[in-house]
Amino acid sequence: MTTSSTDLTAANRAFFDDLATKYDIKPWQKQLALQITNYIQQNLDFIGIPKYSDPITLLDYACGTGMISRALGPSVISIQALDLSSKMVSRFNELAATSEITFVRNARAIEGNLLTDEDPPSELNGPELHNFDIVAVGGGLHHFPNPAKAIGRFAQRLRVGGVLLISDFIEEEQGWVMPTGAEHTIYKYGFSESEMKGLMEGHGLGGFGWREMPERLEMEVHKDKPVSRKGFLAKPAKM
Ligand SMILES: C[S@@+](CC[C@H](N)C(=O)[O-])C[C@H]1O[C@@H](n2cnc3c(N)ncnc32)[C@H](O)[C@@H]1O
């Protein structure tokens, strides 16, 4: 576990800049994305996407190449995406431009970090980056230096009644410490239900919900030792 938030942020930026064009091309990567996408789409009622006629807006935080935007794209009308890695941002925009989903095609990602030790920079504080109906983070929370603070920062970006959706891995006894090159980008290897519930208390959030994916997610992150993890969805709403 890297302790300095500056080190962890720099490690993530460098690692994901390097990975951007290789992030979702191998069969296991595609399968992982498909399983999570399907699970999200099967759980729209659980997520509680607001059902009213106003446009539904999504902030896809730590967007990577856009899996969450594509999963929720058919249910929303406007997508803003943000990522620390400029190369991930480029890849997101490249893929979004050719998407079959209209509101993904209109989506744009920008480079940014809402999780700075100080307040987020002024260019990330405009009205266009507030009052979202959904803030969603896919596979990002375990990379962030301070998950509790991150949840608080995301809560500030929701409108009242909006939903924070976290998709990540369940922490298991068996560690995942092996030379994959990713270990220095990881704050912790997953979360339990009670931990997520605790993290999501306060910040003006309530109505915690938790769902565990039935199938394991296989990751060939190491050629001799593939790992598998269970995934979860967790959500509170802004009260
Ligand atoms: C495992 S990828 C997940 C990408 C995408 N959400 C998905 O589900 O495929 C983690 C992403 O988190 C981004 N990231 C890491 N730390 C971040 C931070 N502090 N702020 C914004 N993005 C961050 C990385 O650049 C990377 O794109």
Side-chain angles (χ1 to χ4, degrees):
M1 184 187 293
T2 308
T3 45
S4 146
S5 69
T6 315
D7 288 354
L8 191 58
T9 303
N12 268 280
R13 187 182 281 114
F15 180 79
F16 284 105
D17 271 354
D18 183 56
L19 190 65
T21 55
K22 299 167 270 185
Y23 181 74
D24 47 16
I25 52 174
K26 292 186 182 155
W28 73 264
Q29 294 168 320
K30 288 180 192 284
Q31 174 62 19
L32 179 95
L34 185 67
Q35 282 175 270
I36 298 172
T37 300
N38 286 343
Y39 195 65
I40 287 174
Q41 292 181 342
Q42 286 156 12
N43 281 281
L44 294 178
D45 281 347
F46 160 77
I47 295 167
I49 294 192
K51 290 190 183 74
Y52 48 76
S53 53
D54 287 348
I56 306 288
T57 59
L58 165 69
L59 172 62
D60 181 355
Y61 191 75
C63 61
T65 59
M67 183 194 70
I68 294 287
S69 287
R70 288 188 291 277
L72 292 174
S75 309
V76 304
I77 203 163
S78 152
I79 301 173
Q80 175 67 61
L82 256 179
D83 200 284
L84 182 68
S85 152
S86 63
K87 298 282 171 39
M88 280 296 199
V89 165
S90 303
R91 190 72 187 131
F92 179 104
N93 287 331
E94 207 175 284
L95 290 175
T98 59
S99 174
E100 288 169 3
I101 309 166
T102 309
F103 297 112
V104 173
R105 213 161 47 241
N106 295 339
R108 283 298 164 269
I110 56 171
E111 186 183 341
N113 181 13
L114 291 179
L115 311 180
T116 44
D117 290 338
E118 310 302 326
D119 287 343
S122 56
E123 66 270 18
L124 300 181
N125 282 334
E128 71 288 357
L129 286 171
H130 284 87
N131 271 316
F132 287 98
D133 295 298
I134 312 166
V135 174
V137 185
L141 197 68
H142 66 275
H143 290 283
F144 301 157
N146 185 337
K149 186 169 166 179
I151 301 282
R153 292 270 165 97
F154 301 141
Q156 290 168 357
R157 304 295 165 143
L158 283 170
R159 70 160 177 82
V160 171
V163 174
L164 171 61
L165 174 66
I166 301 288
S167 162
D168 216 294
F169 301 123
I170 298 176
E171 186 162 46
E172 294 176 23
E173 297 262 330
Q174 180 204 2
W176 184 11
V177 183
M178 59 184 68
T180 63
E183 45 279 347
H184 60 302
T185 71
I186 293 171
Y187 176 73
K188 70 193 297 288
Y189 283 86
F191 302 88
S192 66
E193 179 177 0
S194 59
E195 190 177 8
M196 283 309 303
K197 189 167 190 288
L199 287 171
M200 290 174 161
E201 271 164 9
H203 317 292
L205 299 170
F208 174 76
W210 169 270
R211 287 271 160 103
E212 294 185 14
M213 291 182 67
E215 299 163 354
R216 295 185 75 82
L217 301 162
E218 309 289 335
M219 288 170 275
E220 293 173 28
V221 287
H222 187 284
K223 68 179 170 45
D224 300 323
K225 271 196 201 168
V227 294
S228 78
R229 276 282 177 274
K230 280 197 93 172
F232 71 81
L233 301 180
K235 59 120 203 201
K238 176 115 166 220
M239 299 289 137

